[in-house]
Coordinates of all heavy atoms in Angstrom, one line a residue:
V123 N 18.9 4.8 66.6 CA 19.7 5.9 67.0 C 19.9 6.0 68.5 O 21.0 6.3 69.0 CB 19.2 7.3 66.4 CG1 20.0 8.4 66.9 CG2 19.2 7.2 64.9
S124 N 18.8 5.8 69.2 CA 18.9 5.8 70.7 C 18.1 4.7 71.3 O 17.2 4.1 70.6 CB 18.4 7.2 71.2 OG 17.0 7.3 70.8
C125 N 18.3 4.5 72.6 CA 17.6 3.5 73.3 C 16.4 4.1 73.9 O 16.4 4.9 74.9 CB 18.5 2.9 74.4 SG 17.8 1.7 75.5
S126 N 15.2 3.8 73.3 CA 14.0 4.5 73.7 C 12.8 3.6 73.5 O 12.6 2.9 72.5 CB 13.8 5.7 72.8 OG 12.6 6.4 73.1
N127 N 12.0 3.5 74.6 CA 10.7 2.7 74.5 C 11.0 1.3 74.2 O 10.2 0.7 73.4 CB 9.8 3.4 73.5 CG 8.4 3.7 74.0 OD1 8.0 3.1 75.0 ND2 7.7 4.6 73.4
V128 N 12.0 0.7 74.7 CA 12.5 -0.6 74.3 C 11.5 -1.7 74.6 O 11.2 -2.5 73.7 CB 13.8 -1.0 75.0 CG1 14.3 -2.3 74.5 CG2 14.9 0.1 74.7
K129 N 10.9 -1.7 75.8 CA 10.0 -2.7 76.2 C 8.7 -2.7 75.3 O 8.2 -3.8 74.8 CB 9.6 -2.6 77.6 CG 10.7 -2.9 78.6 CD 10.2 -2.7 80.0 CE 11.3 -3.0 81.0 NZ 10.9 -2.8 82.4
N130 N 8.2 -1.5 75.0 CA 7.0 -1.4 74.1 C 7.4 -1.9 72.7 O 6.6 -2.6 72.0 CB 6.5 0.0 74.0 CG 5.9 0.4 75.3 OD1 5.4 -0.4 76.1 ND2 5.8 1.7 75.6
L131 N 8.5 -1.5 72.2 CA 8.9 -1.9 70.8 C 9.1 -3.5 70.8 O 8.7 -4.1 69.8 CB 10.2 -1.2 70.4 CG 10.6 -1.3 68.9 CD1 9.4 -1.0 68.0 CD2 11.8 -0.5 68.6
N132 N 9.8 -4.0 71.8 CA 10.0 -5.5 71.8 C 8.6 -6.2 71.8 O 8.5 -7.2 71.2 CB 10.7 -5.9 73.1 CG 12.2 -5.5 73.0 OD1 12.8 -5.2 71.9 ND2 12.9 -5.6 74.1
S133 N 7.7 -5.6 72.5 CA 6.3 -6.2 72.6 C 5.6 -6.1 71.2 O 4.9 -7.1 70.8 CB 5.5 -5.5 73.7 OG 4.2 -6.0 73.7
I134 N 5.8 -5.0 70.6 CA 5.1 -4.9 69.2 C 5.7 -5.9 68.3 O 4.9 -6.6 67.5 CB 5.4 -3.5 68.7 CG1 4.6 -2.4 69.4 CG2 5.1 -3.4 67.2 CD1 5.0 -1.0 69.1
L135 N 7.0 -6.2 68.3 CA 7.6 -7.2 67.4 C 7.2 -8.6 67.9 O 6.9 -9.5 67.0 CB 9.1 -7.0 67.4 CG 9.6 -5.7 66.9 CD1 11.1 -5.7 67.0 CD2 9.2 -5.5 65.4
K136 N 7.1 -8.8 69.2 CA 6.7 -10.2 69.6 C 5.3 -10.5 69.2 O 4.9 -11.6 68.8 CB 6.7 -10.2 71.2 CG 6.4 -11.5 71.8 CD 6.5 -11.5 73.3 CE 6.1 -12.9 73.9 NZ 6.2 -12.8 75.4
N137 N 4.4 -9.5 69.1 CA 3.0 -9.7 68.7 C 2.8 -9.6 67.2 O 1.7 -9.7 66.7 CB 2.1 -8.6 69.4 CG 2.0 -8.8 70.9 OD1 2.0 -10.0 71.3 ND2 1.9 -7.8 71.6
K138 N 3.9 -9.3 66.5 CA 4.0 -9.4 65.0 C 3.1 -8.3 64.3 O 2.6 -8.6 63.2 CB 3.5 -10.8 64.5 CG 4.5 -11.9 64.9 CD 5.8 -11.8 64.2 CE 6.7 -12.9 64.4 NZ 8.1 -12.8 63.8
S139 N 3.0 -7.1 64.9 CA 2.3 -6.1 64.2 C 3.2 -5.6 63.0 O 4.4 -5.3 63.2 CB 2.0 -4.9 65.1 OG 1.0 -5.2 66.0
R140 N 2.6 -5.3 61.9 CA 3.3 -4.8 60.7 C 3.5 -3.3 60.8 O 4.5 -2.8 60.3 CB 2.5 -5.2 59.4 CG 3.0 -4.5 58.2 CD 4.4 -4.9 57.8 NE 4.6 -6.2 57.3 CZ 5.7 -6.7 56.9 NH1 6.8 -6.0 57.0 NH2 5.8 -7.9 56.3
Y141 N 2.6 -2.6 61.4 CA 2.6 -1.2 61.4 C 2.8 -0.6 62.8 O 2.2 -1.2 63.8 CB 1.4 -0.6 60.8 CG 1.3 -0.7 59.3 CD1 0.7 -1.9 58.8 CD2 1.8 0.2 58.4 CE1 0.6 -2.1 57.4 CE2 1.7 0.1 57.1 CZ 1.1 -1.1 56.5 OH 1.0 -1.2 55.2
I142 N 3.5 0.5 63.0 CA 3.5 1.3 64.2 C 2.8 2.6 63.9 O 3.0 3.2 62.9 CB 4.9 1.6 64.6 CG1 5.7 0.3 65.0 CG2 4.9 2.6 65.8 CD1 7.1 0.6 65.4
L143 N 1.8 2.9 64.7 CA 1.0 4.1 64.6 C 1.5 5.1 65.6 O 1.5 4.8 66.8 CB -0.5 3.9 64.7 CG -1.1 2.9 63.8 CD1 -2.5 2.6 64.2 CD2 -1.0 3.3 62.4
F144 N 2.0 6.3 65.2 CA 2.6 7.2 66.2 C 1.5 8.2 66.6 O 1.0 9.0 65.8 CB 3.8 8.0 65.5 CG 4.9 7.1 65.1 CD1 5.2 6.8 63.8 CD2 5.7 6.5 66.1 CE1 6.2 5.9 63.5 CE2 6.7 5.6 65.8 CZ 7.0 5.4 64.4
G145 N 1.3 8.2 67.9 CA 0.3 9.1 68.5 C 0.8 10.0 69.5 O 1.9 9.8 70.1
T146 N 0.1 11.1 69.8 CA 0.5 12.1 70.8 C -0.7 12.9 71.3 O -1.7 12.9 70.6 CB 1.6 13.1 70.2 OG1 2.2 13.8 71.3 CG2 1.0 14.0 69.2
R147 N -0.6 13.5 72.4 CA -1.6 14.4 72.9 C -1.0 15.8 72.6 O 0.0 16.2 73.1 CB -1.9 14.3 74.3 CG -3.0 15.1 74.8 CD -3.5 14.8 76.2 NE -4.1 13.5 76.3 CZ -5.3 13.1 75.9 NH1 -6.1 14.1 75.4 NH2 -5.8 11.9 76.0
Y148 N -1.8 16.6 71.8 CA -1.3 17.9 71.4 C -1.3 18.9 72.5 O -2.3 19.2 73.1 CB -2.1 18.4 70.2 CG -1.6 19.8 69.7 CD1 -0.3 19.9 69.1 CD2 -2.4 20.9 69.7 CE1 0.2 21.1 68.6 CE2 -1.9 22.1 69.2 CZ -0.6 22.2 68.7 OH -0.2 23.4 68.2
E149 N -0.1 19.5 72.8 CA 0.0 20.5 73.9 C 0.6 21.8 73.4 O 1.0 22.6 74.1 CB 1.0 19.9 75.0 CG 0.6 18.6 75.6 CD -0.6 18.7 76.5 OE1 -1.0 19.9 76.8 OE2 -1.2 17.7 76.9
G150 N 0.6 21.9 72.0 CA 1.2 23.1 71.4 C 0.2 24.3 71.5 O -0.9 24.3 72.0
V151 N 0.7 25.4 70.9 CA -0.1 26.6 70.8 C -0.5 27.0 69.4 O -1.3 28.0 69.2 CB 0.7 27.8 71.5 CG1 1.0 27.5 73.0 CG2 2.1 28.0 70.8

Side-chain angles (χ1 to χ4, degrees):
V123 173
S124 64
C125 177
S126 178
N127 233 338
V128 182
K129 291 180 180 178
N130 289 336
L131 190 53
N132 286 348
S133 177
I134 288 171
L135 296 178
K136 182 180 179 180
N137 293 324
K138 294 293 184 182
S139 287
R140 169 61 77 179
Y141 289 88
I142 296 176
L143 304 173
F144 297 110
T146 195
R147 186 171 295 283
Y148 182 63
E149 302 288 351
V151 296

